[in-house]
Amino acid sequence: MSGDGANTATVAEEEYLQSLFWLHEAGLPMTGANLSRAMQLSAPTVHEMIGRLERDGYITRASDRAISFTDSGVEHAEGIVRRHRLIERFLTDVLGVPWDEVHEEAERLEHAMSPVLEERMLAAIGDAKTCPHGHPIVAGARLAGVPLADVELGARVAVLRFENEAEDLLRYLKASGIEPGMEGVLAEREPSHVVLETVDGQRIALTTSVAETVSVTADPSPPPRTALPEQLVLGQRYGR
Ligand SMILES: [Zn+2]
Ligand SMILES: [Zn+2]
């Protein structure tokens, strides 16, 4: 599965293209280091795949190691990201699958979807413009946000999206009660955690590390930024 580029991306290549696209969307430098943080994979693993993506014509690398998409690379990345987010929205809205379970399902389905099925799914989701975690289905529609962890005490907050869709992180967020679109006030801000009090009086506590990965709009607002923590610290462990 190598050599002639655009039509033969492997499943693994498509996973990397999606994470690269997220860096690109978020305005973060497309580098191996950022990619290995975003995917929580080791540097050598990521390095090898970057070499493959370059050989297959999806990316180029400058002498300073900065990565750029080729035309075929960006087209391919946009397509796979769009299908991923569309499938997630379809699974939650049409099939009723909880939003902390749809990411892994979409990863399995997104590589095998025909344009006809994509069109039908798009019709089935109605007006929805994002995946259930708040990421725009159509590239370029991403709203600027700030990490919830940056917001000052007392600021009014609206939850935009969950930047990282790691399985255990989504379970943690779901259990906390937070949802994209939710509005409230930052009620507590400690070194270890923050508390968001929603308009209907719910108190949502998140570790500061997790709050780095939750993008919001805030008033007053700190400067726009997308955080990329080296390691996530969850407040509790699952599956034990
Ligand atoms: Zn996802
Ligand atoms: Zn999503």
Side-chain angles (χ1 to χ4, degrees):
M1 294 286 286
S2 72
D4 59 336
N7 299 314
T8 58
T10 62
V11 166
E13 282 180 314
E14 290 190 336
E15 297 303 331
Y16 279 76
L17 286 173
Q18 287 189 72
S19 290
L20 274 172
F21 192 79
W22 175 79
L23 290 172
H24 167 72
E25 265 186 319
L28 293 164
M30 293 187 2
T31 61
N34 279 348
L35 195 53
S36 87
R37 277 190 182 195
M39 300 186 79
Q40 302 274 296
L41 291 173
S42 74
T45 305
V46 168
H47 184 78
E48 201 206 310
M49 183 57 82
I50 287 173
R52 251 165 81 183
L53 289 171
E54 192 178 25
R55 277 198 304 279
D56 287 350
Y58 297 113
I59 59 169
T60 57
R61 268 184 298 180
S63 50
D64 66 353
R65 310 217 144 224
I67 297 167
S68 306
F69 280 122
T70 62
D71 288 347
S72 107
V74 76
E75 195 182 312
H76 212 95
E78 266 184 33
I80 195 76
V81 162
R82 184 180 66 242
R83 289 192 288 279
H84 177 92
R85 295 172 182 173
L86 171 61
I87 292 166
E88 287 186 338
R89 175 57 74 184
F90 179 83
L91 292 176
T92 50
D93 287 17
V94 181
L95 300 189
V97 181
W99 60 248
D100 58 332
E101 291 175 22
V102 296
H103 176 83
E104 312 295 316
E105 293 293 349
E107 297 232 298
R108 283 191 276 273
L109 298 169
E110 68 203 13
H111 310 286
M113 196 168 156
S114 73
V116 173
L117 184 58
E118 186 177 339
E119 234 169 84
R120 293 198 174 208
M121 265 194 199
L122 201 55
I125 63 164
D127 294 335
K129 296 283 183 270
T130 66
C131 82
H133 317 107
H135 296 266
I137 292 170
V138 172
R142 182 182 157 103
L143 302 172
V146 298
L148 179 60
D150 288 7
V151 171
E152 71 180 57
L153 199 61
R156 299 181 54 82
V157 165
V159 178
L160 274 182
R161 70 189 151 255
F162 306 140
E163 298 294 353
N164 188 315
E165 299 191 357
E167 198 171 15
D168 50 353
L169 181 60
L170 288 181
R171 280 206 207 104
Y172 172 90
L173 288 165
K174 180 81 173 168
S176 79
I178 197 167
E179 301 271 346
M182 207 169 230
E183 293 180 25
V185 166
L186 199 80
E188 248 182 75
R189 191 188 150 97
E190 301 293 334
S192 62
H193 70 277
V194 299
V195 174
L196 175 66
E197 191 171 319
T198 67
V199 285
D200 53 7
Q202 223 183 315
R203 287 175 66 84
I204 292 162
L206 300 175
T207 68
T208 303
S209 157
V210 169
E212 290 253 303
T213 70
V214 175
S215 284
V216 301
T217 55
D219 180 24
S221 180
R225 177 172 86 90
T226 301
L228 188 51
E230 197 156 355
Q231 261 189 326
L232 292 166
V233 181
L234 302 180
Q236 54 196 110
R237 290 273 169 215
Y238 288 84
R240 282 190 183 172

